[in-house]
Amino acid sequence: MKVAIVHNKEKKTLEVTERLKTLLSQANIGIDEHKPELVISVGGDGTLLAAFHQFSHALDEVRFLGVHTGHLGFYTDWRDYELEELVDSLLTNREQSVSYPLLKVRVSYLDEKPDQCFFALNESTIKRSNRTMVADVYIKNELFESFRGDGLAVSTPTGSTAYNKSIGGAVIHPSINAFQLAEIASLNNRVFRTLGSPMVIAQDEWVEIRLENTADYLVTIDQLDMPKTNIRSIYYRIAKERIHFASYRHMHFWHRVKDAFISED
Ligand code: NAP
């Protein structure tokens, strides 16, 4: 098995990464940073997001595994003091694997530039910072509403506990193959009207957001910012591809949510 390690720069993470490399080498598991079968992220959920984007071109070949060096994460199953057990589980392949839905994002431009496609593991947002964002929201090619406000966020189930939660979106169990559209500070009055509540969109449906002005949008895909360009519309649906995790440690999802947001047991 060939393994790549992606880590953050924190002191503790660097120590854990060195220890992990030693254990992998003792188990005759090789490191291959370019064509790995397994990508181990050491850090937090943000580090796993970075690892995902580094290898999102090879989702069929690559499995992911997260070791967390801080608080319990949503994508990081192994603790830093469990490295021996982790390496042992890679050799014996005892643990389960699991896969989660991804968001497919297709960006269309006003000029001749060809469409671009991306995967989001958490979410994609469209915002306009200094002026009101004006956009038409289409669901399955039918105009649903005209949005005015700060922006819109489209999230995966595993991303529902991230930015989506901060803007009042629902937390969605990751076994549900759907995505969520949530508003960021919409303008609602007698003139402008949107639904005003987050919507969960089914896996065979798609959402297209057609932008009115082209000038100064900020489009994000997880922690990545897209350069400002002449975007005409952004199209979202659940991807056929999924992210696969190796050696997944089963933890009751709602226990993880409670642990992260309410109280530690
Ligand atoms: P960051 O600003 O350094 O960290 C954002 C925080 O979100 C970190 O504490 C991270 O956990 C946590 N997080 C990431 N994915 C999560 C998930 N699926 N469920 C629960 N918490 C999660 O940014 P970053 O590390 O580059 O991560 C980018 C993500 O930050 C975006 O995808 C977005 O969801 C989130 N974000 C949230 C807000 C907000 O809530 N207002 C604003 C901007 C961005 P770790 O500490 O374990 O890494």
Side-chain angles (χ1 to χ4, degrees), residues 32-44:
D32 184 337
E33 301 291 351
H34 301 289
K35 263 188 142 299
E37 295 153 81
L38 176 70
V39 175
I40 303 181
S41 90
V42 185

Side-chain angles (χ1 to χ4, degrees), residues 2-8 13-14 16-25 29-34 36 38-43 47 51 54-55 65 67:
K2 298 284 183 204
V3 173
I5 302 177
V6 177
H7 58 83
N8 65 28
T13 300
L14 296 177
V16 172
T17 303
E18 278 315 304
R19 204 148 46 83
L20 177 61
K21 281 184 179 165
T22 306
L23 290 170
L24 289 171
S25 150
I29 297 175
I31 299 285
D32 184 337
E33 301 291 351
H34 301 289
L38 176 70
V39 175
I40 303 181
S41 90
V42 185
T47 318
Q54 201 174 322
F55 291 97
L65 185 156
V67 176

Side-chain angles (χ1 to χ4, degrees), residues 39-107:
V39 175
I40 303 181
S41 90
V42 185
D45 285 330
T47 318
L48 193 287
L49 286 174
F52 167 76
H53 284 282
Q54 201 174 322
F55 291 97
S56 63
H57 58 281
L59 290 173
D60 288 342
E61 291 107 58
V62 168
R63 302 284 174 268
F64 292 84
L65 185 156
V67 176
H68 62 92
T69 50
H71 58 87
L72 180 64
F74 281 86
Y75 297 114
T76 49
D77 292 310
W78 292 82
R79 310 297 300 249
D80 49 29
Y81 51 78
E82 296 174 313
L83 296 183
E84 282 82 1
E85 207 187 317
L86 187 164
V87 173
D88 187 45
S89 89
L90 296 180
L91 293 172
T92 55
N93 215 5
R94 283 196 309 272
E95 309 282 346
Q96 294 174 324
S97 68
V98 70
S99 71
Y100 296 135
L102 297 170
L103 192 64
K104 183 163 184 183
V105 184
R106 195 180 75 218
V107 182

Side-chain angles (χ1 to χ4, degrees), residues 44-46 49 71 74-75 122-123 158-159 161-163 166 222-223:
D45 285 330
L49 286 174
H71 58 87
F74 281 86
Y75 297 114
N122 267 354
E123 80 287 291
T158 50
T161 46
Y163 189 78
S166 304
D222 298 332
Q223 73 277 65

